[in-house]
Amino acid sequence: MSTNKSNKPELRFKGFSDDWEQRKLSEITTIHARIGWQNLRTSEFLDDGDYYLITGTDIVEGRIDFSNCHYVAKGRYDQDKNIQINNGSILITKDGTLGKVAYVSGLNKPATLNAGVFNVVIKADDIDGTYLYHYIDGPFLMDYVSKRATGGTIKHLNQSILVDFPVVLPSYEEQKKIGETLQGLDSLITLHQRKCDNLKIIKKSMLDNLFPKIGEKVPKWRFKGFNNDWEQRKLGDMTVELTEYETLKSGYPLLTSSRTGFQQIIILQSLALFLMVNVLIGI
């Protein structure tokens, strides 16, 4: 979304050609956080209830992990309407891990913020929420903050800096197109991440069952056509350790570190084939 000198991005969707404009975040949103005197004691964090308490640690990859949220009493929820959260709110962490951003969706109970998180609510009619979320979640915010930080490491995201954060905006229609596209990419990433997590679970199960348990001679799972007992041998019986380079006529070289530097271990072909097969099974 970076723009060139003509205030237009280099890549655009077909049908859009107007210049983009720049506005301050405070011009298009309201920004609030829990005031110091409203801070909660740990004893007020409830394990269940009707009112979510959202903290910075509940923000995971742009979303709120409601399954890990604590709860608060109704009186604490009612204390400040400015930090009551709704679907479409944008949250930004200002302490701890700075600049984590979440777009609130799927909220099914009233919710309020703990300390350390800004509640950013769109007040302008010509701003698309998903576009603004992705823009803030990009590198632009932290780059802006870093350039204005004093004293080295940034330890706190000041609201006085955040209100002046410049946001570049195309037309509302182009915002929606960009927001929908990026949301679609996020959905694909989540889908493939779940597939990856499931494959890791499958691999772990296979590793647990395709090798014999300690003291046993056969694994729990076997490929069709194999029923012989497995044998146990020492790694030293199947490998040769070298302290210098040697031309290999057979076997597969593997470099490994040691206290004296790199050593080369020749894995015999039979062992290498065995390892390769098991790697392929685990994929």
Side-chain angles (χ1 to χ4, degrees):
M1 294 180 200
S2 60
T3 59
N4 55 29
K5 292 182 179 179
S6 66
N7 206 27
K8 295 181 181 180
E10 295 179 5
L11 297 176
R12 300 189 79 168
F13 291 101
K14 186 177 180 180
F16 298 101
S17 58
D18 294 340
D19 284 350
W20 290 29
E21 64 172 326
Q22 179 174 295
R23 297 162 71 180
K24 293 181 180 180
L25 186 61
S26 57
E27 294 174 353
I28 58 178
T29 68
T30 60
I31 306 168
H32 295 280
R34 182 172 288 275
I35 302 172
W37 63 267
Q38 299 174 344
N39 284 347
L40 297 162
R41 299 181 299 276
T42 304
S43 59
E44 296 181 88
F45 293 7
L46 307 177
D47 291 333
D48 55 56
D50 296 322
Y51 303 91
Y52 283 123
L53 176 66
I54 298 174
T55 70
T57 56
D58 298 323
I59 297 177
V60 180
E61 296 181 353
R63 294 291 180 268
I64 305 300
D65 183 3
F66 295 108
S67 65
N68 284 328
C69 288
H70 284 95
Y71 299 83
V72 290
K74 184 177 185 301
R76 279 301 208 174
Y77 169 78
D78 290 335
Q79 193 172 30
D80 189 347
K81 292 184 178 180
N82 290 320
I83 56 173
Q84 291 175 358
I85 305 305
N86 297 295
N87 288 317
S89 293
I90 298 172
L91 309 183
I92 306 173
T93 57
K94 64 188 184 76
D95 294 302
T97 304
L98 302 183
K100 284 203 301 182
V101 185
Y103 185 77
V104 181
S105 61
L107 182 65
N108 57 7
K109 290 182 179 181
T112 187
L113 286 181
N114 197 7
V117 186
F118 286 118
N119 180 28
V120 180
V121 179
I122 295 172
K123 65 181 180 181
D125 295 333
D126 58 346
I127 304 299
D128 178 70
T130 55
Y131 170 85
L132 182 60
Y133 156 70
H134 284 290
Y135 188 84
I136 296 175
D137 192 42
F140 313 108
L141 175 61
M142 293 312 296
D143 285 350
Y144 176 82
V145 173
S146 297
K147 291 175 182 177
R148 283 153 183 79
T150 57
T153 304
I154 306 168
K155 297 180 180 179
H156 180 80
L157 178 55
N158 293 315
Q159 187 166 344
S160 59
I161 294 178
L162 191 62
V163 294
D164 289 329
F165 172 58
V167 180
V168 291
L169 298 164
S171 67
Y172 181 74
E173 291 74 19
E174 192 170 1
Q175 289 178 46
K176 285 185 66 67
K177 187 71 174 178
I178 293 171
E180 289 170 357
T181 300
L182 294 175
Q183 285 293 95
L185 288 174
D186 276 352
S187 297
L188 281 175
I189 290 169
T190 300
L191 176 63
H192 286 292
Q193 183 61 55
R194 288 174 181 168
K195 288 182 179 179
C196 181
D197 292 341
N198 288 335
L199 286 173
K200 288 179 180 179
I201 293 172
I202 292 171
K203 178 178 179 179
K204 184 180 184 304
S205 180
M206 295 183 77
L207 289 172
D208 289 341
N209 292 282
L210 286 174
F211 293 93
K213 304 295 183 184
I214 295 176
E216 298 181 359
K217 294 185 177 181
V218 294
K220 184 177 180 180
W221 294 350
R222 304 199 75 172
F223 290 102
K224 186 176 180 180
F226 298 96
N227 52 27
N228 293 333
D229 287 352
W230 288 35
E231 64 172 315
Q232 180 174 296
R233 298 166 65 181
K234 294 180 180 180
L235 182 62
D237 295 336
M238 301 179 291
T239 63
V240 177
E241 184 176 302
L242 302 176
T243 57
E244 61 184 34
Y245 179 79
E246 179 177 302
T247 302
L248 303 175
K249 296 181 180 179
S250 63
Y252 296 83
L254 172 67
L255 289 179
T256 180
S257 62
S258 71
R259 292 181 181 177
T260 58
F262 283 104
Q263 292 179 331
Q264 189 174 48
I265 298 175
I266 303 174
I267 302 178
L268 302 181
Q269 290 184 359
S270 57
L271 177 59
L273 181 60
F274 172 81
L275 292 173
M276 290 169 64
V277 168
N278 280 281
V279 169
L280 290 173
I281 289 173
I283 291 176

